[in-house]
Amino acid sequence: IKDLIPNSEYYFRVKAVNKIGGGEYLELRNPIIAEDPKQPPDPPVDLEVHNPTSKSVTLTWKPPLFDGGSKIMGYIIEKLAKGKERWERCNDYLVPLLTYPVKGLEEGKEYQFRVRAENAAGISEPSRITPFVKAVDPIEAPKVFLAANLQSGLEVKRGDEIILEAHISGSPYPSITWLRNDEVVRPEEIKKRVTTYTRKKKESVLSIRDSIRADHGTFTIRVENDHGVAKASCEVNVLDTPGPPVNFVFEDVRKNSVICKWEPPLDDGGSEILNYVLEKKDNTKAEMGWVTVSSTLRHCKFHVTKLIEGKEYLFRVFAENRVGLGPPCISKPMTAKDPFSPPDPPNKPDVQDVTSNSMLVKWNEPKDNGSPIIGYWIEKREINSTHWARVNTNLVNALEIKVEGLLEGLTYIFRVCAENAAGPGKFSPPSDPKTAQDPIMPPGPPIPRIADTSSTSIELEWEPPAYNGGGDITGYHVYKQLVGVNEWSRCTEKPIRVRQYTVREVREGADYKLRVTALNAAGEGPPGETEPVTVAEPKEPPTVELDVSVKAGIQIMAGQTIKIPAIVTGRPTPTIAWAVEEGELDKDRVVIENVGTKSELTIKNALRKDHGRYVITATNSSGSKSAGTRVEVFDRPSPPRNLAVSDIKAESCYLTWDAPLDNGGSEITHYIIEKRDASRKKSEAPVTKPSVKGLEYNVLRLAEGVEYQFRVMAENLAGIGPPSEPSDPALAADPIFVPGPPSCPEVKDKTKSSVALAWKPPQKDGGSPIKGYIVEMQDEGSTDWKKVNEGDKLFPTCECVIPNL
């Protein structure tokens, strides 16, 4: 894992991934600090000994290849004298640098050295040990080095002091000699401007005050001792203004121009020539001063213009370097005049190939008057202007030019002059005026088509010509021809500008051809012609198109307005009929409006019964066409039906009912059930309104002994509908059943004519106290049972006596 931030804490986690996806991560419990492990550094490397003397040496080395993960705090230097066994430390404090001068050596003894590195973790192993080094002063051949600022030479301005500094070494110390251009510098020869002196024994400085341009050259210092000679040189440049340019001459002298040429100065002043300044002077008038022609010349040649013919001129030129302008070089006198004359004017130009923005101008070659014609200048002028404008920016070598960029509708004239080495001649006479406009031709044929017919007319329309002939279309003419007749008759007295026309005075049932021609400033163009067309009322089957807003159907709430717009076309005009499927239109409420091709059915304050599919039918002699759309009128549902109460108990009963005949056009969302005390006919008891999804409900928490009536209302998105008919009154009481059978009677006593019976009451009384018992008997051999009780009397107890047996 790379690119961690040192000393930052990191968590790491890893998960496995297969083709199904990735599993859960395994994460480190504790963070990891991004730091290198710390340990003592490696030993320093490349230990070397330099500059041994009788008392000291200088050691250099390179840092360890690995710092042990902690910054190197410094180095420990140790020495071992030859014949000794114990290493001695040379430095009291850690050396922070990679070099150290070891001092206090004994002259003539030999020493070895080693270095250790130390960081926060400890001290390294020692470096490799140096070979034995003897503490003696060296025998050194002389060396000399110029100061660093002189390595690439020295450049000063005239008058500044030249200071040359050299660093010298050698044992024994060498003798010193300064030279200029290989000649010994002697102060007395240059007016004692030169001072040489030596300081600190290892430096020599040559100084030249009030420098002049002649002081430039190659300065050399030469040092010598018994062991050799050494030299060091420096190019010294003394900057001054340049000398005057040389060899000023004239070329190509003309009446109003001349080419001046010269050569650079022999001495550039020690700096590159940056610029030349050229001046001129009217030599016929002594009081006239010098006038600058150009002060920014980079080359030794310049074409001077705007001279006055016949005048004598003097020229002078200065060279300029970064120090300044030097002295001038002055020319000989020069008279401005041509060796030949400009050409004659050409003849009057001819203008051809005129368009809305260009014209072709042609002319003849004039007399050149001794110098070949090098080209022509062409000028243009708008006929109402007084200003001539140059057409070409460069000389035209041909005898014609296409002038472009003209403004359409403007009238132009042109003139031409020729130019040779003497300059441009006089202009030709101006050409004849020409207006910049495209050539006008009669327009092409329009593109006509039959738009409609009737029994007395033909409706004609057309598209403009593809080619207008170069001019605006000013109008159109319409022609007709009875098929079978060769003659065409024009229908329009004057050209018409609209591109439609009704051709009248035609016979019903006859066939005609029609033509249309276009006109512009050049005249009437060729006609565009139609195919033969019969004059008759066209027959088109009806088309019916409902408005896009109602095609997909209409859904509104009761009380809103129904609008069904439609477009009906056909020839002859169709009859229109509106109807509603599976019903009849309510003529008192339905409004149908037919205007042109539009037909619209409107029903205000829509009722639920107005829903259904509305159909519009258009019929003419060519056929019939219908279109329809579904109208949904949403209203509250009608009352639920057949409300029945069952399973009546003291505290509950069960209600069932049938859904409304009309759900109002929207699904029943739920039912609301109301109850009241049946004994309170005028004032209803508090009403409960449970919301029920189905067609049944178990009513709870009734008051026992109270007689109730119930009713149900259905609700949809439009609201709550009217209630059902109230239910029959229902008494809140548990139901009563017939009692169970008593136990089998037993004969308790009997006589000749009577029997006393006894029995036990039934186990279930049917939910109501036993009122009494009925006793029946059967004669032996008979299958009929006879009632013992007298009339409707009951035996009140569980015993009785049956007499008269």
Side-chain angles (χ1 to χ4, degrees), residues 232-385:
S233 297
C234 175
E235 292 292 333
V236 175
N237 186 18
V238 179
L239 297 177
D240 199 356
T241 56
V246 295
N247 300 330
F248 195 110
V249 295
F250 297 108
E251 290 183 355
D252 200 16
V253 179
R254 296 286 185 268
K255 66 180 180 181
N256 52 15
S257 69
V258 67
I259 295 176
C260 297
K261 291 181 68 176
W262 58 90
E263 293 179 5
L266 299 178
D267 181 10
D268 63 3
S271 176
E272 178 187 5
I273 300 298
L274 302 176
N275 191 51
Y276 292 97
V277 177
L278 180 64
E279 296 180 345
K280 69 180 179 180
K281 181 178 183 299
D282 186 348
N283 202 34
T284 59
K285 298 180 181 178
E287 69 277 8
M288 295 295 290
W290 290 94
V291 178
T292 300
V293 176
S294 176
S295 59
T296 59
L297 300 178
R298 297 285 295 168
H299 304 290
C300 298
K301 181 178 181 180
F302 187 70
H303 186 200
V304 182
T305 59
K306 299 181 180 178
L307 301 180
I308 299 174
E309 186 176 5
K311 276 197 174 185
E312 184 178 82
Y313 290 92
L314 282 178
F315 291 87
R316 68 181 182 183
V317 62
F318 302 83
E320 183 177 9
N321 62 9
R322 55 193 171 98
V323 177
L325 288 172
C329 172
I330 303 176
S331 72
K332 295 178 181 180
M334 186 277 301
T335 302
K337 63 180 181 179
D338 284 337
F340 39 77
S341 60
D344 288 350
N347 295 333
K348 182 173 75 170
D350 183 26
V351 180
Q352 303 174 1
D353 298 343
V354 178
T355 71
S356 61
N357 60 7
S358 67
M359 297 181 189
L360 181 64
V361 181
K362 294 185 176 182
W363 59 89
N364 294 325
E365 183 177 4
K367 184 179 178 182
D368 63 11
N369 291 331
S371 176
I373 293 175
I374 58 177
Y376 298 87
W377 297 106
I378 299 91
E379 292 184 344
K380 67 181 178 182
R381 178 167 70 84
E382 205 277 321
I383 195 68
N384 295 318
S385 172

Side-chain angles (χ1 to χ4, degrees), residues 471-533:
D472 292 336
I473 301 296
T474 57
Y476 298 91
H477 276 307
V478 179
Y479 298 83
K480 66 181 178 181
Q481 180 194 56
L482 181 64
V483 175
V485 177
N486 291 331
E487 295 182 357
W488 288 86
S489 61
R490 197 169 76 185
C491 305
T492 49
E493 293 184 8
K494 297 179 180 179
I496 59 174
R497 297 191 66 86
V498 294
R499 297 200 307 274
Q500 58 184 24
Y501 186 77
T502 302
V503 179
R504 304 188 185 278
E505 298 180 4
V506 290
R507 296 202 310 265
E508 184 176 7
D511 294 335
Y512 287 87
K513 288 184 180 180
L514 302 180
R515 280 182 176 176
V516 182
T517 59
L519 294 88
N520 64 9
E524 187 174 6
E529 188 172 317
T530 69
E531 295 294 325
V533 59

Side-chain angles (χ1 to χ4, degrees), residues 153-183:
L154 177 65
E155 187 174 81
V156 298
K157 289 186 178 180
R158 182 186 64 180
D160 292 346
E161 185 176 8
I162 299 172
I163 298 177
L164 303 176
E165 181 180 352
H167 300 276
I168 303 161
S169 65
S171 183
Y173 194 76
S175 61
I176 302 168
T177 305
W178 284 93
L179 302 98
R180 174 181 171 277
N181 296 336
D182 296 329
E183 295 183 3

Side-chain angles (χ1 to χ4, degrees), residues 775-788:
V775 179
E776 294 179 341
M777 69 178 180
Q778 184 184 63
D779 293 338
E780 185 177 1
S782 175
T783 60
D784 295 329
W785 289 88
K786 295 185 296 185
K787 188 175 178 182
V788 174

Side-chain angles (χ1 to χ4, degrees), residues 208-226:
I208 303 176
R209 296 183 298 275
D210 302 324
S211 63
I212 59 176
R213 172 66 183 149
D215 291 334
H216 76 281
T218 303
F219 285 78
T220 303
I221 182 170
R222 182 179 184 277
V223 295
E224 182 178 3
N225 67 7
D226 295 339

